[in-house]
Amino acid sequence: MFYNILAPLASEWTLFNVFRYISFRSLAALITALVISILIGPRFIAWLRRLKCGQYIHEDVVAHAAKAGTPTMGGLLMLASLGISLLLWADLTNPYIWQTMCVFVGFGAVGLWDDLAKLRHHQNRGISGKAKLAGQILVAFIAVWFLALNPDYSSRLTIPFFKEWSPDLGWLYIPFGIFVMVAASNAVNLTDGLDGLAIGPSIVACAVFSIFIYITGNARFAGYLLVPYISGVGEVTVFCAALVGAGLGFLWFNAYPAQVFMGDVGSLSIGGTLGYLALLCKQELVLAVVGGLFVAETLSVILQVGYFRWTGGKRIFRMAPLHHHFELKGVPESKIIIRFWITSILLGLVALSVLKLR
């Protein structure tokens, strides 16, 4: 028996029995979060302006000087629309819903801490890297620990394209899960450098994982497609749909030229949640495919820093992350964004092919 704010309607009127279906509630959650974001967005942005929550631009990114002062911390808008939508449409008795929401809020809290530090210091440098990483690891550890305590959850690792090969990581699954969540969180954060660049691929990744989550929570579909079945996980499909809707609503205002930036409160929470969704549906390695754009952005930074130190000052890219390299080559910002979105959609389709190619 599910329960949310609208659940009594299903018990009193037969017409509202449709509320019991995950598919219907997921679609309703998406629309609700999207509409709420668009309706409250203008007032929310105006509120950020009154609080003087303007973005400070890094001195190395000269091309973005005109964006200085654009309101940041737009991730709070997504949190508000997501939360309201879940109260209306998600089964509030399902522990996976609360765990996933806690991951979103937990990583968002670390991001908010960093955003507030930037505003306080009046520069694009927030809390120290060690402090940020410690906060992320703490949130990820708690999330993975709760999964490990669940008797229905397995420490086996699903290998894409293989039916039988599923190595059991045992206790090593906990540090592995922490790495997945923290890496995903930082990867989305690094990608968040152009208007709408990070939220577009995030929406695609969340939509893909909503399909994986739904199948994982459906015994018949999971058995047919040879993916692990986990009872109750399917309800998180409603969360994924609500996050897609919240992301689309945020994109309404974040599209080029952006009226608001998501800030670390948005990028860290979305990335950490994507990592957690991958763990929930036992598609940890598929995350590297559907989030291939985030991986490329992260690798560009790692390679740039490593090569710079190894050669004593030489660079592979004109600037890292990768989107700044194309920007300095003269590619218009809007074209970079659209091409990265197209790439993320293609990667999402490739990730979905894993369901049959095994």
Side-chain angles (χ1 to χ4, degrees):
M1 181 67 182
F2 79 96
Y3 178 79
N4 56 36
I5 291 177
L6 297 178
L9 295 176
S11 59
E12 294 181 16
W13 289 288
T14 306
L15 175 65
F16 293 104
N17 272 334
V18 70
F19 287 1
R20 302 179 187 276
Y21 295 98
I22 291 177
S23 55
F24 175 83
R25 287 187 288 113
S26 296
L27 179 60
L30 188 157
I31 296 172
T32 300
L34 172 59
V35 171
I36 290 174
S37 296
I38 294 175
L39 290 179
I40 70 175
R43 291 188 178 184
F44 176 79
I45 295 172
W47 175 67
L48 290 177
R49 289 188 183 279
R50 287 196 300 271
L51 293 180
K52 298 181 180 180
C53 297
Q55 177 72 42
Y56 291 93
I57 304 299
H58 196 284
E59 59 271 16
D60 292 339
V61 191
V62 180
H64 292 185
K67 299 183 180 183
T70 301
T72 186
M73 298 195 296
L76 294 175
L77 174 62
M78 286 187 282
L79 175 60
S81 57
L82 172 65
I84 295 172
S85 181
L86 290 179
L87 287 174
L88 292 173
W89 300 109
D91 179 3
L92 301 181
T93 65
N94 186 293
Y96 292 112
I97 286 290
W98 289 105
Q99 291 172 24
T100 310
M101 190 63 186
C102 285
V103 168
F104 189 89
V105 173
F107 275 93
V110 177
L112 181 62
W113 180 22
D114 191 45
D115 286 334
L116 291 176
K118 292 175 183 177
L119 295 175
R120 185 171 62 252
H121 297 153
H122 302 288
Q123 59 179 346
N124 194 35
R125 291 186 177 88
I127 59 177
S128 68
K130 290 182 179 179
K132 182 189 291 187
L133 184 61
Q136 291 172 302
I137 291 175
L138 177 61
V139 176
F141 171 77
I142 295 173
V144 179
W145 181 256
F146 270 99
L147 283 181
L149 293 177
N150 188 341
D152 294 332
Y153 200 77
S154 171
S155 57
R156 290 190 173 276
L157 183 64
T158 302
I159 308 297
F161 307 114
F162 290 89
K163 293 181 181 180
E164 307 296 336
W165 188 29
S166 182
D168 191 347
L169 299 184
W171 66 269
L172 288 175
Y173 191 84
I174 293 178
F176 172 75
I178 293 172
F179 169 78
V180 169
M181 293 178 65
V182 172
S185 179
N186 286 314
V188 175
N189 184 237
L190 287 172
T191 307
D192 184 30
L194 301 179
D195 299 353
L197 181 62
I199 192 62
S202 295
I203 291 170
V204 172
C206 196
V208 169
F209 276 118
S210 70
I211 296 174
F212 278 109
I213 289 285
Y214 182 79
I215 292 172
T216 301
N218 187 296
R220 185 176 62 178
F221 290 161
Y224 174 71
L225 294 170
L226 301 177
V227 299
Y229 166 68
I230 304 175
S231 177
V233 164
E235 185 64 28
V236 182
T237 308
V238 180
F239 179 97
C240 294
L243 185 53
V244 169
L248 288 171
F250 173 75
L251 182 59
W252 185 276
F253 304 102
N254 184 237
Y256 180 83
Q259 297 172 256
V260 64
F261 299 139
M262 71 166 65
D264 283 10
V265 65
S267 59
L268 294 187
S269 58
I270 291 175
T273 302
L274 286 176
Y276 186 69
L277 292 175
L279 297 179
L280 271 184
C281 61
K282 305 301 299 175
Q283 299 295 334
E284 305 91 346
L285 299 184
V286 172
L287 177 61
V289 179
V290 68
L293 188 63
F294 302 133
V295 174
E297 292 274 69
T298 304
L299 286 177
S300 70
V301 174
I302 295 174
L303 291 173
Q304 183 86 324
V305 173
Y307 190 75
F308 184 86
R309 292 177 177 175
W310 184 45
T311 60
K314 294 183 179 180
R315 292 177 171 84
I316 299 176
F317 307 103
R318 295 190 179 185
M319 188 175 179
L322 191 59
H323 56 265
H324 287 316
H325 170 75
F326 291 114
E327 204 173 12
L328 291 178
K329 288 187 67 175
V331 182
E333 179 175 347
S334 57
K335 183 169 289 188
I336 297 172
I337 295 166
I338 296 298
R339 287 178 175 176
F340 274 39
W341 285 357
I342 293 172
T343 302
S344 68
I345 292 172
L346 290 175
L347 290 172
L349 294 174
V350 171
L352 286 176
S353 70
V354 171
L355 287 171
K356 287 298 293 182
L357 300 178
R358 53 174 65 234

